[in-house]
Amino acid sequence: MNEHGVTLLETILSIAILLLLAITLLPFANQLQGQLFDKKLAYRASEVAYNGIKEVIFTGVMQGSETIEGVEYQWYYHHSEICVEYANLKGPQLTCITSDDTNVALH
């Protein structure tokens, strides 16, 4: 910087560095957003499993489905195990929870 201010070359160089940083961080931010979306869907699947268990206990219905924010979750209960099927960015997912123990099986 001189007594007249910032030169055009310094300004262009600063903008180029900022663009390079933004372009470098964009895929990382996109990956984080995808992971967050997948975790949100898995959380919703656990809510659907909880609601499904309540449905089994109170009404005896052994399967059903819920749609939350445009994503369809289908659940079914069979031999002390509830499974929830849904699709995320990686494709179809199946989450099963058994009542025999506290293990959660993710497929």
Side-chain angles (χ1 to χ4, degrees), residues 41-61:
L41 293 182
Y43 171 74
R44 296 267 167 81
S46 66
E47 286 181 333
V48 169
Y50 175 70
N51 291 336
I53 288 295
K54 289 193 308 187
E55 188 98 14
V56 169
I57 291 170
F58 294 121
T59 66
V61 175

Side-chain angles (χ1 to χ4, degrees), residues 19 24-25 27 29 33 38 44 46 72 84 86-87:
L19 283 175
T24 303
L25 294 176
Q33 186 178 15
D38 286 345
R44 296 267 167 81
S46 66
E72 184 174 356
V84 180
Y86 64 99

